[in-house]
Amino acid sequence: MFNIFGTKSYLGVDIGTTSIKVVEIIKTSTKPKLKTYGFLESYGHLERLNDALQTSSLKIMDQEAAKFLKILIKQLKCKSRDVVASIPAFSAFITLLEIPEMPVSEIMETMKYQVRQYIPLPTSEVTIDWLPVGKRQDEKGVNKQQVILISVPNEQIRKYQNIFKLAGLNLRALEVESLALVRALIANDPTPTAIVDIGARSTNIAIIDKGYLRHNSQTDFSGGSLTQAIASGLNINIRRAEELKKQKGIIGVGGDYELSTLTIPFLDAIITEVKRAKDNYEKNSGSKIDGSTSLTINPEQSRRIERVILTGGGANLLGIDTYFEKQIGLTTVIGDPFSQVDYSPEIKPIIKELGPPFAVSIGLGIREFV
Ligand SMILES: Nc1ncnc2c1ncn2[C@@H]1O[C@H](COP(=O)(O)OP(=O)(O)OP(=O)(O)O)[C@@H](O)[C@H]1O
Ligand SMILES: [Mg+2]
């Protein structure tokens, strides 16, 4: 945990459905510093993409994940053994609640009670956490506090504990990937924003307002769907389709035009989901939230999403930001997690490309330092 200078460092570990990414972050007197980074991809998923039964529930097996992690840590010569890791958003239940103002000590008890209404599992089988996200005066002038309730099945937590134990690492904290993304891509910016994380197997849409996560949803339309569309449309194998996608993106002209006609319907499906999340948030943000019904009481208070931040490996698709912006009608940028860390000048030429796949791991790695 401590190197010879007494400096503390952490490993940020993002176990995706198809790859593992690791960063090592060191505390400094200024910004946290990225010491090293790396990833390993499980190519098996490319072949298995054809199998329609495999959805985002497909996870790298524990043993394999531990084996990959050991290899990565060794190759990267990481000094720290202390890990902050992410839980995929699709394994967690994330709900925004409004409760009367009460002391922090009482909130946990209230949450334990509330959680029963929102999750399909017995409370003894989940671990819950909550974060304050705002305050509001209701129509009767009563002060209410808004909290985001996060529940994760214990089975999922045990799985992660097992992976890190097998890999000889100390799991210090586990957090839902959307929270790591907020830290890496938003920090304290209050602008109402949709973060769209386009992964290999699923796309995660997080709505952030005043710097807080407010809503989270997912779709199975993802980077893998685009690859699949190219493979079946051109009748080529998945690996070749993956290469073509990375090479050509959606800005193809002439002969390459055909490629974007295959992929764009899937990109449009992702955009439709983002629009839906945006509309829902805007509709409900001026409302009273009581879990079962939402009654609009003050439409003037409703907040409008102002921008989209794209992240995840799928955000490296050439031309995606321009297309997204045009279709959704909001400023769209590719997130830059490197703005939160110092890094070696040698990697400056490639940080643009590294940013999307490493956003979650960087957000995890800086957790204890910001
Ligand atoms: N240059 C590129 N152009 C287009 N797509 C790309 C590019 N680079 C990576 N991708 C896509 O990004 C996806 C992988 O993204 P990422 O590494 O964020 O996934 P993951 O975290 O392992 O998956 P998930 O989040 O679904 O568990 C793949 O579908 C891959 O094809
Ligand atoms: Mg991911």
Side-chain angles (χ1 to χ4, degrees), residues 14 16-17 21 177 197 199-200 312 360:
D14 169 13
T17 44
K21 291 142 196 148
E177 56 188 348
D197 176 354
V360 170

Side-chain angles (χ1 to χ4, degrees), residues 151-222:
S151 358
V152 179
N154 292 339
E155 192 199 335
Q156 192 70 19
I157 292 178
R158 278 193 294 270
K159 175 192 161 72
Y160 279 83
Q161 286 169 331
N162 188 33
I163 292 174
F164 291 102
K165 199 168 143 206
L166 286 171
L169 299 169
N170 313 317
L171 180 60
R172 297 291 182 203
L174 258 179
E175 91 176 343
V176 175
E177 56 188 348
S178 313
L179 295 174
L181 287 174
V182 175
R183 198 175 299 115
L185 303 177
I186 305 252
N188 298 319
D189 190 324
T191 313
T193 303
I195 298 183
V196 183
D197 176 354
I198 308 174
R201 285 302 183 120
S202 64
T203 295
N204 187 53
I205 304 159
I207 302 290
I208 324 297
D209 195 356
K210 297 179 184 157
Y212 291 113
L213 174 67
R214 312 279 303 193
H215 185 77
N216 201 92
S217 54
Q218 290 96 38
T219 165
D220 281 344
F221 293 112
S222 58

Side-chain angles (χ1 to χ4, degrees), residues 88-151:
F90 58 72
S91 318
F93 303 96
I94 301 175
T95 322
L96 182 68
L97 293 177
E98 199 168 79
I99 55 172
E101 270 200 314
M102 61 179 77
V104 169
S105 56
E106 286 172 26
I107 294 184
M108 195 48 131
E109 281 313 304
T110 310
M111 289 294 121
K112 280 186 192 152
Y113 173 76
Q114 293 271 5
V115 80
R116 283 177 212 166
Q117 296 177 48
Y118 299 105
I119 60 161
L121 290 172
T123 45
S124 58
E125 287 176 27
V126 293
T127 300
I128 63 169
D129 197 6
W130 61 273
L131 296 163
V133 298
K135 291 197 169 152
R136 190 179 76 85
Q137 212 171 48
D138 75 6
E139 64 279 23
K140 295 181 193 128
V142 178
N143 287 333
K144 292 285 177 71
Q145 54 188 333
Q146 297 178 323
V147 294
I148 197 114
L149 172 68
I150 300 172
S151 358

Side-chain angles (χ1 to χ4, degrees), residues 227-244:
T227 305
Q228 176 71 63
I230 296 172
S232 30
L234 301 183
N235 198 20
I236 55 176
N237 72 39
I238 293 276
R239 281 188 193 226
R240 177 74 189 123
E242 180 80 4
E243 273 170 32
L244 267 180

